[in-house]
C-alpha cells in the first residue's frame, strides 16, 4: 500500500504541477525559393497540440518549456528547431521530398513515414481510392514485400514477407479487427478499404504495441470515425464505380460536420457484384473412376472462363462523434457490416444412382456462401498536459461482435462467432532526453464454431500486457528501444469424441454417450524486445537498422484444430494432438512458443528527382508453426488410413508442427522524376523461406515480383501504366506443385473537373490489360481460382 500511495502522489504531482515558464514562439515557414508555405503543421515535439501556418506561412504557438518545434508538411522533409522556453522568432526553410510523407498513426510516437525505423508503406488519398478493392489483400498486393493469400477476390488477406494469418495483425485505428480471417483462408477480413483515410503496412515485428499476433507485421486501417481534430463546416465525399469483370457496382459516401468542439462523422458503402470472368483455363481433374472410359484416355479437360461462386453483396455503415478541447478529447463510434459473399471451390457434390436420373443428371451441386455480420463499438479518450514529464494520457477501447455463417443450399451450415473486448491505455512522457510511451494492453476473445466445419473447438483467449517504447536523439541519429511482457491464456473444452474414430457401427452411439470432455487451459508468457536506430547522414538520406526478438503462443486453430476443413479440402490437426496406430490422441504437453529474431536494414533517399527505399531482412524463427502433410488421409467411413489404401475422395491429413525456419529477402522501390510531368518507378521483392537443416521450403510462399510504373500528368489529366511480373515459384514442399510466372499490366486515367465548390474526378482503371492468365501460388485453391481477366473500372468521385 505504501508503494501505491507513493506512485499515486507522483502521478498527481505530475498532473497538477504548473511551470512558471511560459513563452510565445512566432515564425514563418518558407520553401527553398523563399515562398511562404501555408498549412504547415507546427507542434512541440512529443506533444499533440499543434498550429498551422497561414497563407503567408506565419504561425504563433505557446510553449511552456524548452524543447523542439517539429515542423511538417506533406511532400516536404520535416524539420526540428530547438527552442529555449523564452519568447523568440524563428524562420524555417523546408526542403521538398521526392515522395509523399504522411504521419504513421501506428507508430505511436507521431512519426511520419520517412522517420520510421521499421520499413513502412502508406496508401492514402486518391492513390488509395484508385487501388481499393473488396479485400485488403488485393488492395495491398502491389506494394513491395506484400502479397495476398487469394481465396478468390472476395476473400484475400495480406501476406507480409511470406508471413500471414496469425502472424500479421490487422487493426482498425490500432485495435484488432476481431474477425475470423485467421481461422481459415476462406474467411474474409472485415475491414473496408473504401472507407479508409489511409492504410499503413508495417513490415517486420510490431509486437511491442500490438501483441504477439504481430510477429510478422501490422496492417492498420485508419479512418476518421472518431474525429480528433475540430471540424468547422460541413464536408463530404461521394463515389461510384462500375467493374466490368464481375458486373460490380460500388457506392460510397461520407459526411462530416462540427460546431464549438463537437464533431460528427458518417460513412457508408454498398457493393454488389457477380461471379468474375477469367481468361480461358483448364479445370483440375476431379477424382473420378475412369474404368468406364477405357478408350478415352486422352479425353480433353473441361475448361472455364469464370470462377463460380465469387459474388459479393456488402453494406457498411458507420457513425462517430467526438468532443475536442484544448486538453481533452472524447469520442465514440459504431459500425455495422453486412456482407454475403460466395466461397469458390466450396461446393458439396452428392452422387446419385444413374437410374434415378432419366435426363442423365449425375450430380447436384449445392451453392455455398458466407454471411458476415459485425457490430463494432470503439471509444477514445485523450488528455494532453502542459509542461509535465507526463505529456499525454490516452485510452482506446473496443468491443466487436462478429458472426460468420456459411449457407449451404439455403440452410445454415457452420456458424463462427467471435466476441472481442480490447483496451489499450498509454502514457506518453519525457524523461530527461528520452521521449517515449508506456502502456497496458488487454484483450479477451470469445470464439465459437458450430456445424460441419467446426474443426476448431470453442475457446476463450485472454492477454494482459505491459509495454514501453523509448527514443532519444544523438545528433543525426535517433535510437529507439522497446519491450513488451505479455501473459497469454487460452481455455477450451475439448471433446474426445472427435479424436477416436471407431469403425464398428454398433459402437458409434456408445462413443457419443461416453464422450469425454477435457477442460484445457494453458498460460504462456511472451517477451518481446527491440532496438533500432536511424541515421540521417545527409538531408533527405538515411540508413536504418533494427533488431528484435518476439515470442508468440499458438492460436486455438493452430493448437486445437481437429476436423474436416472443407474449404481447403483437408483434415486439419493442431499441435496438441498425436497420431498413433491410426488413432488421434490429445496430448498438448511441452508446446514451446514460436520465437522470431528479426534483422532489418534499410537505405532511403527521398530528396531531389531521384529517390529510393531498399530493405534487406533476415528472420530466424525457432519453433515455426506450419501445416505439414502427414501422408495419411481421412475417410468418413474408415477414419485415418494410408493414402495408398484410401478411396480417391479421402482428404489429406495436415497437422500443425513446429520446426526451426529462416526467411530472408529484399524489397525495393526506386523512383525518378524524369520531367515535372513524368515519374518512373521500379519496384520488386524477393523472399526465401526455408526450414533449417536442409529440410526443404515452407509451403505456399508467394512468388517474387518485379514491376515498373509510369505516371504522367498533363493539364487536368493524370495517367499511369504499371507492369508487374510474378516469377515462377518452384521453391516448394513435397506436396505442392510449382506455379508458372505471369505478367500483369494495369492502366488508369484520371480527369479533374472544375464544378465550383465540388472537387470532381472522372476515372477509368484497366486491370490486367492483356487478359493474362495468372495463378497465385499462395492460394489454397490456385488451380480452381485464377486471377480475374481484363477489367474496366469506370467511376466518378466528388469532394465538397
Amino acid at each position: 500500500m505504501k508503494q501505491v500511495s507513493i506512485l499515486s502522489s507522483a502521478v498527481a504531482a505530475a498532473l497538477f504541477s504548473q511551470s512558471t515558464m511560459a513563452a510565445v514562439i512566432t515564425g514563418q515557414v518558407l520553401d527553398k525559393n523563399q515562398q511562404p508555405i501555408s498549412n504547415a503543421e507546427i507542434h512541440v515535439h512529443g506533444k499533440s497540440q499543434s498550429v498551422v501556418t497561414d497563407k503567408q506561412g506565419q504561425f504563433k504557438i505557446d510553449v511552456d518549456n524548452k524543447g523542439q518545434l517539429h515542423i511538417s508538411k506533406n511532400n516536404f522533409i520535416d524539420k526540428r528547431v530547438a527552442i529555449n522556453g523564452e519568447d523568440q522568432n524563428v524562420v524555417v526553410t523546408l526542403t521538398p521530398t521526392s515522395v509523399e510523407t504522411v504521419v504513421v498513426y501506428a507508430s505511436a510516437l507521431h512519426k511520419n513515414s520517412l522517420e520510421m525505423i521499421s520499413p513502412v508503406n502508406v496508401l492514402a488519398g486518391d492513390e488509395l481510392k484508385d487501388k481499393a478493392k473488396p479485400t485488403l489483400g488485393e488492395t495491398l498486393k502491389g506494394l513491395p514485400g506484400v502479397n495476398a493469400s487469394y481465396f478468390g477476390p472476395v476473400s484475400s488477406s495480406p501476406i507480409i514477407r511470406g508471413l500471414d494469418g496469425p502472424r500479421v495483425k490487422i487493426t482498425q485505428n490500432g485495435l484488432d479487427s476481431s474477425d475470423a480471417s485467421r481461422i481459415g483462408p476462406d474467411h474474409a477480413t472485415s475491414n473496408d478499404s473504401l472507407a479508409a483515410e489511409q492504410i499503413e503496412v508495417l513490415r517486420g515485428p510490431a509486437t511491442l504495441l500490438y501483441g504477439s499476433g504481430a510477429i510478422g507485421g501490422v496492417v492498420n486501417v485508419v479512418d476518421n470515425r472518431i474525429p480528433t481534430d475540430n471540424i468547422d463546416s460541413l464536408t463530404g465525399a461521394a463515389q461510384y464505380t462500375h467493374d466490368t469483370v464481375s458486373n460490380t457496382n460500388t457506392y460510397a459516401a461520407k459526411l462530416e460536420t462540427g460546431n464549438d468542439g463537437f464533431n460528427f462523422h458518417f460513412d457508408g458503402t454498398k457493393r454488389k457484384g457477380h461471379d468474375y470472368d477469367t481468361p480461358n483455363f483448364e479445370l483440375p481433374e476431379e477424382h473420378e473412376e475412369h474404368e468406364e472410359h477405357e478408350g478415352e484416355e486422352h479425353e480433353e479437360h473441361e475448361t472455364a472462363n469464370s470462377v463460380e461462386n465469387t459474388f459479393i453483396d456488402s453494406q457498411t455503415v458507420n457513425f462517430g462523434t467526438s468532443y475536442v478541447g484544448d486538453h481533452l478529447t472524447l469520442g465514440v463510434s459504431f459500425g455495422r457490416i453486412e456482407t454475403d459473399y460466395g466461397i469458390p471451390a466450396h461446393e458439396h457434390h452428392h452422387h446419385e444412382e444413374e437410374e434415378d436420373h432419366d435426363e442423365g443428371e449425375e450430380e447436384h451441386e449445392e451453392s455455398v456462401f458466407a454471411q458476415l455480420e459485425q457490430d463494432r463499438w470503439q471509444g477514445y479518450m485523450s488528455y494532453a498536459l502542459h509542461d509535465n514529464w507526463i505529456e499525454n494520457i490516452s485510452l482506446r477501447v473496443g468491443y466487436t461482435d462478429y458472426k460468420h455463417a456459411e449457407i449451404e443450399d439455403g440452410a445454415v451450415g457452420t456458424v463462427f462467432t467471435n466476441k472481442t473486448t480490447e483496451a489499450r491505455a498509454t502514457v506518453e512522457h519525457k524523461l530527461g532526453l528520452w521521449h517515449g510511451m508506456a502502456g497496458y494492453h488487454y484483450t479477451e476473445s470469445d470464439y465459437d464454431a458450430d456445424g460441419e466445419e467446426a474443426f476448431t473447438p470453442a475457446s476463450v483467449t485472454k492477454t494482459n500486457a505491459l509495454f514501453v517504447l523509448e527514443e532519444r536523439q544523438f545528433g543525426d541519429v535517433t535510437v529507439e528501444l522497446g519491450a513488451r511482457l505479455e501473459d497469454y491464456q487460452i481455455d477450451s473444452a475439448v471433446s474426445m469424441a472427435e479424436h477416436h474414430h471407431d469403425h464398428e457401427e454398433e459402437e458409434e452411439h456408445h462413443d457419443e454417450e461416453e464422450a469425454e470432455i477435457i477442460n484445457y487451459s494453458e498460460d504462456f508468457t511472451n517477451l518481446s524486445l527491440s532496438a533500432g536506430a536511424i541515421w540521417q547522414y545527409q538531408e533527405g538520406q538515411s540508413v536504418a537498422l533494427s533488431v528484435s526478438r518476439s515470442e508468440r503462443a499458438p492460436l486455438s486453430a493452430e493448437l486445437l484444430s481437429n476436423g474436416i476443413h472443407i474449404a481447403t479440402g483437408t483434415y486439419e490437426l493442431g499441435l496438441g494432438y498425436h497420431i498413433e496406430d491410426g488413432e488421434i490422441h490429445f496430448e498438448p504437453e511441452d508446446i514451446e512458443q514460436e520465437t522470431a529474431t528479426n534483422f532489418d536494414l534499410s537505405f532511403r533517399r527521398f530528396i531531389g528527382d531521384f529517390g529510393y527505399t531498399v530493405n534487406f531482412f533476415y528472420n530466424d524463427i525457432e519453433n515455426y508453426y506450419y501445416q505439414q502433410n502427414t501422408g495419411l488421409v481421412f475417410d468418413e467411413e474408415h477414419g485415418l488410413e494410408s493414402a495408398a489404401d484410401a478411396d480417391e475422395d479421402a482428404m489429406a491429413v495436415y497437422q500443425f508442427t513446429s520446426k526451426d525456419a529462416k526467411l530472408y529477402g529484399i524489397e525495393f522501390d526506386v523512383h525518378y522524376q524524369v520531367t515535372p510531368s513524368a515519374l518512373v518507378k521500379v519496384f520488386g521483392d524477393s523472399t526465401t523461406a526455408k526450414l533449417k537443416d536442409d529440410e526443404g521450403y515452407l509451403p505456399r510462399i508467394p512468388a517474387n515480383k518485379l514491376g515498373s510504373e509510369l505516371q504522367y500528368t498533363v493539364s487536368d489529366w493524370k495517367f499511369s501504366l504499371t507492369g508487374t511480373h510474378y516469377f515462377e515459384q518452384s521453391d516448394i514442399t513435397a506436396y505442392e506443385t510449382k506455379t508458372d510466372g505471369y505478367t500483369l499490366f494495369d492502366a488508369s486515367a484520371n480527369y479533374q473537373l472544375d464544378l465550383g465548390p465540388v472537387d470532381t474526378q472522372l476515372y477509368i482503371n484497366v486491370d490486367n490489360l492483356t487478359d493474362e492468365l495468372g495463378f497465385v501460388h499462395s492460394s489454397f485453391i490456385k488451380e480452381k481460382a485464377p486471377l480475374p481477366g481484363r477489367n474496366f473500372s469506370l467511376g466518378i468521385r466528388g469532394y465538397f
Side-chain angles (χ1 to χ4, degrees):
M1 293 298 293
K2 182 177 180 181
Q3 289 83 352
V4 173
S5 177
I6 293 173
L7 179 60
S8 301
S9 300
V11 172
L15 292 177
F16 298 109
S17 63
Q18 297 294 327
S19 172
T20 58
M21 299 181 67
V24 177
I25 307 298
T26 59
Q28 187 178 30
V29 180
L30 306 172
D31 63 19
K32 282 203 165 184
N33 296 321
Q34 300 302 298
Q35 296 300 308
I37 298 176
S38 62
N39 293 316
E41 184 178 11
I42 297 95
H43 76 275
V44 179
H45 181 60
K47 297 187 177 182
S48 59
Q49 290 81 11
S50 63
V51 298
V52 296
T53 56
D54 59 20
K55 292 182 179 180
Q56 286 72 45
Q58 296 178 343
F59 68 90
K60 180 173 72 173
I61 187 170
D62 296 327
V63 300
D64 46 30
N65 206 343
K66 63 181 180 181
Q68 276 187 341
L69 286 186
H70 186 180
I71 300 96
S72 60
K73 169 73 174 178
N74 284 350
N75 301 317
F76 287 87
I77 297 175
D78 286 17
K79 182 155 285 188
R80 302 177 192 274
V81 177
I83 54 176
N84 55 23
E86 299 176 355
D87 292 351
Q88 62 186 99
N89 184 76
V90 297
V91 177
V92 181
T93 301
L94 297 184
T95 303
T97 66
S98 56
V99 294
E100 185 176 3
T101 62
V102 291
V103 173
V104 181
Y105 292 93
S107 69
L109 294 178
H110 318 292
K111 292 180 179 293
N112 67 37
S113 51
L114 303 182
E115 298 174 315
M116 294 285 292
I117 294 176
S118 299
V120 63
N121 273 102
V122 180
L123 280 181
D126 289 341
E127 182 183 16
L128 172 58
K129 296 296 186 289
D130 291 338
K131 294 183 177 180
K133 297 292 190 295
T135 65
L136 279 180
E138 293 306 289
T139 299
L140 302 174
K141 69 177 185 180
L143 298 176
V146 183
N147 288 277
S149 61
Y150 199 75
F151 207 92
V154 294
S155 180
S156 181
S157 298
I159 300 175
I160 300 178
R161 295 175 171 178
L163 302 177
D164 65 345
R167 299 179 182 88
V168 173
K169 192 85 161 181
I170 299 176
T171 63
Q172 182 180 328
N173 300 320
L175 297 181
D176 199 319
S177 59
S178 303
D179 51 38
S181 59
R182 296 181 177 189
I183 302 300
D186 57 321
H187 297 177
T189 61
S190 59
N191 303 87
D192 192 336
S193 55
L194 267 181
E197 299 286 328
Q198 65 186 50
I199 301 178
E200 305 164 349
V201 181
L202 279 68
R203 298 172 184 79
T207 56
L208 296 179
L209 295 176
Y210 298 100
S212 55
I215 201 168
V218 166
V219 176
N220 185 40
V221 180
V222 181
D223 55 54
N224 197 39
R225 290 168 186 169
I226 301 179
T228 54
D229 291 316
N230 279 320
I231 304 170
D232 298 324
S233 61
L234 177 65
T235 62
Q239 177 177 338
Y240 166 75
T241 306
H242 176 76
D243 291 333
T244 61
V245 76
S246 57
N247 195 26
T248 296
N249 293 305
T250 303
Y251 310 85
K254 180 178 74 172
L255 288 173
E256 292 182 336
T257 188
N259 182 51
D260 197 23
F262 291 92
N263 310 283
F264 303 92
H265 170 98
F266 162 81
D267 71 75
T269 61
K270 166 70 176 176
R271 179 187 286 114
K272 188 170 185 179
H274 304 280
D275 295 347
Y276 72 90
D277 296 330
T278 69
N280 201 53
F281 71 101
E282 289 186 355
L283 292 169
E285 291 186 42
E286 300 292 337
H287 296 299
E288 298 176 352
E289 297 291 339
H290 297 288
E291 290 81 6
E292 299 175 288
H293 311 284
E294 292 180 0
E296 303 177 17
E297 291 183 6
H298 301 288
E299 193 176 338
E300 291 186 4
H301 289 291
E302 184 181 357
T303 62
N305 56 15
S306 67
V307 178
E308 296 181 0
N309 219 25
T310 53
F311 71 90
I312 186 170
D313 188 354
S314 176
Q315 306 87 35
T316 69
V317 62
N318 299 278
F319 301 92
T321 184
S322 68
Y323 169 77
V324 179
D326 292 337
H327 296 267
L328 179 66
T329 299
L330 284 173
V332 64
S333 69
F334 170 76
R336 171 77 176 174
I337 301 172
E338 295 181 357
T339 301
D340 292 356
Y341 66 92
I343 305 176
H346 196 329
E347 295 85 19
H348 301 294
H349 302 273
H350 296 278
H351 298 275
E352 312 211 7
E353 298 289 337
E354 287 189 20
E355 55 266 28
D356 293 336
H357 299 272
D358 295 334
E359 298 181 3
E361 193 176 6
E362 294 186 1
E363 68 178 27
H364 170 66
E365 286 189 357
E366 298 179 350
S367 62
V368 179
F369 67 95
Q371 282 187 341
L372 186 158
E373 297 177 1
Q374 178 177 282
D375 291 331
R376 183 179 180 90
W377 291 90
Q378 282 191 306
Y380 175 69
M381 184 279 291
S382 174
Y383 188 82
L385 294 89
H386 293 300
D387 190 25
N388 281 283
W389 64 276
I390 293 180
E391 298 176 330
N392 184 277
I393 300 172
S394 68
L395 173 67
R396 286 192 181 273
V397 295
Y399 175 76
T400 304
D401 188 352
Y402 171 92
K403 179 181 179 182
H404 171 111
E406 296 190 350
I407 312 301
E408 304 178 12
D409 201 26
V412 177
T414 307
V415 178
F416 302 86
T417 62
N418 190 20
K419 297 181 179 180
T420 302
T421 303
E422 185 173 8
R424 183 197 307 276
T426 59
V427 177
E428 190 173 353
H429 56 263
K430 189 168 186 179
L431 301 173
L433 298 177
W434 289 88
H435 171 229
M437 175 179 289
Y440 167 73
H441 187 196
Y442 168 81
T443 62
E444 178 179 340
S445 175
D446 187 351
Y447 165 81
D448 195 10
D450 182 28
E452 184 181 358
E453 284 197 58
F455 57 94
T456 301
S459 62
V460 176
T461 305
K462 294 180 182 179
T463 65
N464 289 275
L466 296 173
F467 59 88
V468 62
L469 185 65
E470 303 289 336
E471 69 170 5
R472 179 180 172 180
Q473 287 186 288
F474 297 87
D476 295 328
V477 177
T478 301
V479 174
E480 187 176 280
L481 304 174
R484 178 186 177 101
L485 185 64
E486 177 182 273
D487 176 69
Y488 179 97
Q489 180 180 344
I490 182 169
D491 295 281
S492 180
V494 180
S495 172
M496 293 304 293
E498 300 176 9
H499 318 313
H500 297 282
H501 300 280
D502 295 274
H503 312 314
E504 301 296 331
E505 293 185 5
E506 61 269 21
E507 296 183 8
E508 289 182 358
H509 299 293
H510 177 73
D511 290 338
E512 292 177 2
E513 292 173 1
E514 298 185 4
E516 181 184 0
I517 302 297
I518 297 178
N519 292 319
Y520 174 76
S521 180
E522 188 62 61
D523 264 301
F524 298 87
T525 300
N526 300 318
L527 176 65
S528 298
L529 303 169
S530 73
I534 183 169
W535 176 28
Q536 306 280 353
Y537 60 91
Q538 287 186 16
E539 185 179 34
Q541 299 186 62
S542 65
V543 58
L545 174 66
S546 63
V547 182
S548 62
R549 178 188 184 276
S550 306
E551 293 182 337
R552 183 177 79 88
L555 295 182
S556 60
E558 297 170 306
L559 182 61
L560 304 174
S561 292
N562 182 15
I564 296 172
H565 192 176
I566 298 176
T568 59
T570 60
Y571 190 97
E572 295 190 5
L573 277 177
L575 290 161
Y577 297 94
H578 174 68
I579 300 175
E580 185 177 351
D581 298 329
E583 295 290 336
I584 301 172
H585 304 278
F586 186 57
E587 299 176 0
E589 291 83 17
D590 302 324
I591 294 176
E592 298 184 10
Q593 289 124 302
E594 187 176 271
T595 303
T597 303
N598 188 81
F599 300 86
D600 257 297
L601 178 61
S602 300
F603 298 91
R604 305 168 191 165
R605 175 188 168 94
F606 39 86
I607 190 172
D609 294 331
F610 175 68
Y612 55 80
T613 299
V614 182
N615 306 318
F616 298 91
F617 67 92
Y618 181 87
N619 202 351
D620 186 289
I621 306 180
E622 298 178 9
N623 305 312
Y624 182 88
Y625 307 142
Y626 73 103
Q627 287 180 303
Q628 185 178 50
N629 193 310
T630 63
L632 300 173
V633 295
F634 175 81
D635 182 88
E636 291 187 355
E637 182 179 355
H638 303 102
L640 298 184
E641 57 184 346
S642 170
D645 303 328
D647 295 334
E648 293 183 347
D649 290 335
M651 295 184 177
V653 177
Y654 280 78
Q655 182 170 19
F656 281 95
T657 187
S658 62
K659 293 183 180 179
D660 295 345
K662 56 183 178 181
L663 297 89
Y664 54 90
I666 181 176
E667 55 206 16
F668 61 89
D669 187 347
V670 182
H671 55 270
Y672 178 61
Q673 192 78 43
V674 183
T675 69
S677 300
L679 174 70
V680 176
K681 289 184 179 182
V682 178
F683 59 89
D685 58 54
S686 173
T687 299
T688 301
K690 294 180 177 180
L691 293 171
K692 290 187 175 181
D693 301 324
D694 297 322
E695 292 193 43
Y697 293 94
L698 292 174
R700 287 180 299 280
I701 297 301
N704 301 331
K705 67 174 180 276
L706 177 65
S708 180
E709 180 180 2
L710 170 63
Q711 296 179 3
Y712 187 77
T713 303
V714 54
S715 186
D716 294 324
W717 286 93
K718 181 178 180 181
F719 302 93
S720 73
L721 176 65
T722 304
T724 307
H725 178 71
Y726 293 83
F727 292 87
E728 175 188 88
Q729 180 57 288
S730 56
D731 295 341
I732 56 178
T733 63
Y735 295 93
E736 283 187 291
T737 57
K738 75 174 185 178
T739 303
D740 293 334
Y742 55 92
T743 303
L744 300 179
F745 289 96
D746 304 321
S748 69
N750 189 308
Y751 180 69
Q752 189 80 29
L753 285 173
D754 184 8
L755 297 180
V758 180
D759 180 10
T760 306
Q761 297 174 2
L762 297 174
Y763 57 90
I764 177 171
N765 300 327
V766 188
D767 299 325
N768 195 0
L769 188 64
T770 59
D771 204 31
E772 177 87 350
L773 179 63
F775 296 91
V776 181
H777 183 76
S778 52
S779 173
F780 277 85
I781 56 170
K782 68 172 184 178
E783 295 178 343
K784 297 181 180 180
L787 290 169
R790 185 185 298 112
N791 177 42
F792 292 87
S793 295
L794 308 162
I796 182 172
R797 67 172 68 101
Y799 307 89
F800 63 89

